[in-house]
Amino acid sequence: ASIKDGGRFFTLANKLQELGINFIWYIVTTDEYKNNPVWKNKNVVHIQNRLDVGSLMKKADWYVQLSICEGDSYSLKEALYRGVPIVVCELPYFKEIGIKDGENALFYKPDNSNVTEIAKRMKTPLKFTFEKIEDGYNNILNKTKSYYEEE
């Protein structure tokens, strides 16, 4: 399986469909998924990268990102700040930024072994308030002078 592995996305989408769970899943990507007939699912809509993803995100019941390697995903944080729970493969830095299984996230196993459990749990989105973790950078950065010049 690859790092991004679209197969995990479609395994989950197919399981949701198999369990009779109504959903529409927007996949925002320029990757090859839309052209692979093995991964066709009538509830999955492929859209190209766009700047207004936030407007889609705030209407979502879940944000799903099933890669097994991420540097520091802004989109995960953006979903959480909007109150949208996430489905993710667990990564080491999640604890540092307040991502907690069963509280604001569901942890999906990269080998798909918990796909049925996750799909069933997705019937009811998690309700939570995501608190920004104070890191002290504001105090450091506020003391510096900006050299930004508007174009």
Side-chain angles (χ1 to χ4, degrees):
S2 72
I3 290 172
K4 298 294 182 186
D5 191 18
R8 282 188 287 275
F9 286 104
F10 292 97
T11 298
L12 179 54
N14 291 336
K15 182 57 73 171
L16 289 166
Q17 187 173 345
E18 177 187 315
L19 294 174
I21 298 169
N22 266 340
F23 71 97
I24 295 177
W25 189 335
Y26 292 103
I27 295 183
V28 182
T29 184
T30 55
D31 287 340
E32 75 284 352
Y33 309 134
K34 66 182 176 188
N35 297 320
N36 189 326
V38 175
W39 293 336
K40 295 293 181 191
N41 182 301
K42 67 179 185 167
N43 299 80
V44 176
V45 178
H46 296 86
I47 57 178
Q48 292 294 311
N49 291 343
R50 52 198 283 173
L51 295 176
D52 65 342
V53 174
S55 65
L56 294 174
M57 192 181 289
K58 69 181 176 186
K59 297 175 187 174
D61 292 321
W62 292 94
Y63 179 85
V64 181
Q65 182 173 298
L66 299 178
S67 55
I68 57 171
C69 183
E70 289 289 335
D72 183 19
S73 175
Y74 287 116
S75 58
L76 288 181
K77 290 183 235 175
E78 188 173 346
L80 291 169
Y81 284 128
R82 293 175 188 273
V84 178
I86 60 176
V87 179
V88 290
C89 294
E90 185 175 12
L91 296 174
Y93 77 92
F94 285 174
K95 184 181 276 187
E96 294 174 26
I97 63 170
I99 296 176
K100 297 177 185 167
D101 188 29
E103 189 173 311
N104 54 22
L106 297 177
F107 287 171
Y108 190 93
K109 295 189 190 280
D111 64 0
N112 299 310
S113 62
N114 67 340
V115 65
T116 301
E117 173 192 345
I118 294 294
K120 288 177 179 178
R121 292 182 71 189
M122 287 177 75
K123 286 181 185 180
T124 307
L126 301 170
K127 302 291 182 205
F128 65 95
T129 302
F130 192 70
E131 300 289 331
K132 180 182 175 192
I133 297 174
E134 292 300 324
D135 55 21
Y137 284 115
N138 284 343
N139 293 334
I140 296 169
L141 296 175
N142 283 339
K143 294 178 182 176
T144 63
K145 180 181 179 203
S146 172
Y147 294 97
Y148 175 75
E149 292 182 24
E150 191 171 330
E151 293 181 323

